[in-house]
Amino acid sequence: MSTFSRRQMLSVIGASVAAPAVVRAQDTSPIKIGGMLPLSGPAAIEGAQVRKGYEFAVAEANARGGVFGRKIELVLEDDEGNATKGVNAVRKLIERDKVPFIIGTYPTAVCVAATKVAREYKVAMISGGSTAVAGTDANTVGDPWFFRPWTDSNGQGADTAKAIVHQFHGKKVAIIHDLTNYGVTLADQAAAIVPKEGSTIVAREGFNAGEKDFSTLLTRLRTLRPDVVYVAGWAGDGATIVRQAAEVGLRAQFIGSGSMLSDDFIKLAGPASEGFAVATLYEATTPNKVGRAFGERFKAVYKHEAGTLNSLGFDSTSIGIEAMRRVGRPDSAAIQQMIKGGMKDFPLVQGPDGTTAAFDDKGGVTFPMFIAIVKNGKRTLS
Amino acid sequence: MDLFLQYLANGIVVGSSYALVAVGLTLVFGILGVVNFAHGEFYMLGAYAGLTAITVFHVPLPVAVAAVIVVSALLGWGAEVILHGPLKNRDATSSIISSFGLAVVLQNAALIWIGPEPQLLQTSLSAIPVEIGPVFMPLQRLMLPIATAVLLVALHLVLRYTWTGRSLRAMAQHGTVARLCGVRIKRVAIVTFMVAAALAGVAGFLMSSVYMVHPLIGNMIVLKAFTVVILGGMGQIGGAAAAGILLGITESMTSAYLDNGLRDIVGFVIVIVVLLVRPNGLFGRKADRS
């Protein structure tokens, strides 16, 4: 009955001895994780900043020895802020690089399109800056595949609207917003809440993201004499608007949307950025102890203060890596389960002291925002 | 009324940049029959050439303009070698498609080597306000229509009174006959591309102090320029200049009296209507190309 020759027998024994060694040798290869951002196009400023947060989190995790003895390698795809390119990027990351989770991306419309595909592959996505409520609204309640570890645009719109009325005493408020999902939802929220708090909206105007000339629009707004102008959109456009408003002589308190304020913004908008305010998730002077420590470590490496976008990129990436470490293997479905329910003790650098990655059943985290103001060319918390 | 004049002035400023870009585009089309989608990249690279000259090499403004013209003209020469030289006897679609390719290559090259972050040229001119009656604007904005006017008049004089200009016009009228009369076609083609690219490059540089510069700015401006070229009549230089200013004013008025969100739509709607009603453009002459 014995059909094995001696040579075959030896080779089987030899293989069984060698195989674990082979597997172990593969084990030390780096684990790839997926990142997706607009690195070019109208949201490139934001993309470049979120990217630093990703890379910083990966570098710190690797400095601690990686996960289960393997280094982490970030594979980054540029979606250009374009939904088609975003969907391609997700497919590429999952099929070619076999990533267990993806951090990304910035524009919400791209997130919604991309998550649809990622969910089919059972791969979780953690926001790379997308804040519009549509991102988590697209999730099935109780089984989210898109996670946003910070307050959504409704929360941001509400916090900003209250600050406009009470902190900046805006009686006559003008709203300018870009026509992306993010800009429109923020404007809707502010337009709903400002009147309830007792002030009036004197104008509401949309523009296409990436528009370069706002002088006519701003000249017209000047005639309406608003106390506060709320600009909801991306940083590049915000900087252009603030600069051109000074050129046409529109003097008002300018308030921007969440992620607009950064050192790049102050540089691009120039002296016109003085007094500019935003509702923000993070500032380097945050009272959040974990956030403060992150800010110091970040500054030591990048030689500039960490901003909202650096911090949220860092949080999203850290959550993904930590969830993978807790699961113990790069298993994408298990990682989604872990992010959903197992991270309630994991501290975030954003938000007030003690904020943790306690996701609700739609995949969001809620906490009150800070108001940051530019004073003497520097960002400060009010 | 005061505001109307201000809106008008804003429109003329934006429109003159459209005119400057569109004139180069229409020149290349009118003389060589090449539809160049990479024209917006001449604009973008011209802006970067000027930014580099000023921020890295700290040269004064006129030297920077000269640098922009030289760099753009060289680019134009290169584009002729790629888009026109080897393809001129092929189907027109060959050069259209290769110009698309060139646009993608130049954009991505800029993304890789320069990076995606928007930049802005800070000059001392931005702080100087100019008031003409009820119209108010910073000096650097006012420079745009002035520079456009100067360049277009210069272009007109060259085309009208120089030997080169005459051979360019001869080419535009009839290539074969021009060659029979002794016009050196190869030289004309190169000069056309160089002039077109230089105009676009200077426009890009002038705009870099008013609007931000990033590798993808060429996309929208080339679409606007095509709108302008179609409105002005393909190949009509005066038509392109007038239509450019007109488009700028229309956009400004749309933003002022209708809805700012409509301003990019308006131009394209007008193009569709004009093509339906006046297929040769607003200023186009009916002509049979033999």
Side-chain angles (χ1 to χ4, degrees):
Chain A
M1 279 301 284
S2 168
T3 51
F4 280 153
S5 70
R6 188 185 300 174
R7 180 176 294 184
Q8 280 169 324
M9 209 56 197
L10 278 175
S11 64
V12 167
I13 292 168
S16 67
V17 173
V22 170
V23 171
R24 224 177 294 130
Q26 280 171 344
D27 257 353
T28 57
S29 68
I31 293 184
K32 287 181 178 172
I33 65 170
M36 195 174 126
L37 281 174
L39 298 173
S40 55
I45 297 191
E46 289 87 343
Q49 291 177 43
V50 179
R51 177 188 191 160
K52 285 184 186 166
Y54 287 9
E55 289 172 345
F56 189 61
V58 170
E60 288 207 324
N62 281 335
R64 286 193 300 266
V67 280
F68 18 95
R70 296 168 67 176
K71 292 279 181 214
I72 298 161
E73 182 190 333
L74 175 68
V75 186
L76 205 57
E77 287 288 327
D78 179 10
D79 59 50
E80 298 175 32
N82 173 314
T84 317
K85 299 226 163 96
V87 166
N88 286 340
V90 165
R91 285 190 195 284
K92 217 155 129 191
L93 286 170
I94 298 174
E95 287 180 356
R96 184 193 62 188
D97 300 306
K98 317 269 185 249
V99 301
F101 64 91
I102 296 171
I103 329 137
T105 179
Y106 188 78
T108 303
V110 184
C111 277
V112 172
T115 312
K116 225 178 199 168
V117 177
R119 189 169 48 211
E120 283 168 18
Y121 286 97
K122 299 269 173 223
V123 170
M125 290 188 56
I126 313 171
S127 175
S130 153
T131 298
V133 71
T136 40
D137 274 356
N139 279 327
T140 313
V141 176
D143 186 31
W145 287 86
F146 176 73
F147 295 94
R148 184 196 49 243
W150 56 86
T151 303
D152 66 26
S153 54
N154 283 352
Q156 188 192 122
D159 286 355
T160 311
K162 285 179 189 143
I164 287 171
V165 177
H166 302 299
Q167 189 177 345
F168 297 101
H169 310 294
K171 291 272 161 263
K172 292 199 282 183
V173 181
I175 301 174
I176 320 176
H177 62 93
D178 73 22
L179 296 166
T180 66
N181 193 315
Y182 176 62
V184 173
T185 44
L186 279 177
D188 284 345
Q189 192 71 3
I193 292 179
V194 165
K196 275 190 206 148
E197 301 287 324
S199 296
T200 40
I201 307 275
V202 292
R204 180 183 165 164
E205 292 290 340
F207 61 88
N208 294 316
E211 194 164 311
K212 58 190 176 126
D213 191 83
F214 296 91
S215 50
T216 295
L217 170 64
L218 294 167
T219 307
R220 179 153 55 89
L221 281 189
R222 191 186 65 193
T223 63
L224 301 170
R225 300 183 183 287
D227 314 312
V228 171
V229 179
Y230 177 41
V231 185
W234 296 344
D237 295 329
T240 307
I241 289 173
V242 168
R243 202 162 38 81
Q244 294 186 357
E247 285 177 3
V248 305
L250 170 58
R251 308 252 177 269
Q253 169 69 49
F254 274 80
I255 297 181
S257 48
S259 50
M260 230 178 233
L261 189 54
S262 64
D263 290 347
D264 284 346
F265 178 93
I266 296 174
K267 203 172 79 197
L268 283 173
S273 66
E274 193 64 23
F276 182 79
V278 296
T280 182
L281 303 161
Y282 177 86
E283 264 307 318
T285 50
T286 176
N288 180 335
K289 287 184 209 72
V290 184
R292 186 75 73 104
F294 155 75
E296 282 158 14
R297 297 197 309 275
F298 185 92
K299 194 176 178 186
V301 174
Y302 289 100
K303 312 293 173 218
H304 70 83
E305 298 277 352
T308 296
L309 291 168
N310 306 132
S311 76
L312 64 83
F314 178 83
D315 270 340
S316 288
T317 312
S318 307
I319 288 170
I321 293 173
E322 175 64 13
M324 180 162 73
R325 194 188 65 76
R326 289 183 185 187
V327 167
R329 60 187 190 283
D331 174 340
S332 44
I335 290 173
Q336 181 249 0
Q337 289 294 321
M338 179 60 73
I339 300 175
K340 193 175 83 180
M343 305 292 289
K344 292 194 182 350
D345 58 322
F346 187 73
L348 296 184
V349 302
Q350 305 169 78
D353 202 22
T355 307
T356 62
F359 289 97
D360 58 28
D361 53 6
K362 283 170 87 182
V365 171
T366 306
F367 52 79
M369 299 179 77
F370 308 112
I371 300 289
I373 303 176
V374 179
K375 273 190 192 137
N376 304 322
K378 286 209 167 310
R379 294 150 23 201
T380 49
L381 280 186
S382 64
Chain B
M1 190 60 200
D2 289 1
L3 277 175
F4 177 81
L5 291 175
Q6 179 73 51
Y7 298 148
L8 193 68
N10 290 344
I12 291 171
V13 170
V14 179
S16 43
S17 72
Y18 296 161
L20 215 46
V21 178
V23 163
L25 198 62
T26 211
L27 202 64
V28 169
F29 177 80
I31 294 173
L32 306 172
V34 174
V35 178
N36 181 15
F37 278 93
H39 197 69
E41 276 51 55
F42 297 156
Y43 173 89
M44 180 261 294
L45 291 168
Y48 276 120
L51 267 174
T52 313
I54 288 189
T55 55
V56 180
F57 297 105
H58 304 286
V59 299
L61 209 60
V63 181
V65 172
V68 168
I69 291 176
V70 170
V71 170
S72 311
L74 286 176
L75 267 170
W77 189 348
E80 195 278 335
V81 170
I82 295 169
L83 299 181
H84 183 256
L87 300 173
K88 60 177 176 290
N89 295 325
R90 304 243 198 103
D91 189 23
T93 45
S94 305
S95 65
I96 294 180
I97 291 169
S98 65
S99 79
F100 257 121
L102 183 63
V104 173
V105 168
L106 291 177
Q107 267 179 27
N108 284 287
L111 278 172
I112 291 169
W113 281 306
I114 305 171
E117 293 84 7
Q119 297 181 27
L120 187 72
L121 181 64
Q122 315 268 8
T123 64
S124 50
L125 297 182
S126 58
I128 306 170
V130 179
E131 278 188 76
I132 309 165
V135 177
F136 165 89
M137 61 177 59
L139 184 58
Q140 59 178 8
R141 266 177 185 263
L142 193 64
M143 291 296 288
L144 277 177
I146 294 172
T148 303
V150 169
L151 284 168
L152 291 186
V153 167
L155 179 68
H156 177 78
L157 294 178
V158 168
L159 285 179
R160 192 101 196 92
Y161 297 109
T162 64
W163 178 249
T164 312
R166 215 166 295 163
S167 49
L168 291 181
R169 281 186 293 140
M171 267 294 280
Q173 277 178 11
H174 204 293
T176 316
V177 176
R179 195 170 61 201
L180 289 175
C181 297
V183 172
R184 286 159 66 190
I185 296 195
K186 180 73 189 161
R187 211 189 101 209
V188 168
I190 292 173
V191 168
T192 309
F193 261 95
M194 286 171 90
V195 170
L199 286 172
V202 171
F205 175 58
L206 287 171
M207 303 285 273
S208 66
S209 64
V210 180
Y211 308 122
M212 282 183 228
V213 181
H214 56 84
L216 304 182
I217 42 171
N219 282 344
M220 198 61 193
I221 197 90
V222 83
L223 276 182
K224 293 272 167 79
F226 270 110
T227 314
V228 169
V229 168
I230 294 168
L231 283 178
M234 298 292 274
Q236 302 289 322
I237 289 168
I245 308 274
L246 214 59
L247 180 65
I249 294 173
T250 313
E251 284 186 3
S252 178
M253 293 303 162
T254 308
S255 166
Y257 296 110
L258 291 172
D259 184 318
N260 189 58
L262 295 176
R263 73 182 274 164
D264 284 339
I265 302 173
V266 156
F268 298 110
V269 170
I270 296 176
V271 163
I272 294 169
V273 173
V274 166
L275 282 178
L276 288 174
V277 182
R278 278 186 67 95
N280 289 310
L282 290 176
F283 307 98
R285 276 175 246 132
K286 275 206 180 114
D288 296 318
R289 287 180 72 88
S290 47

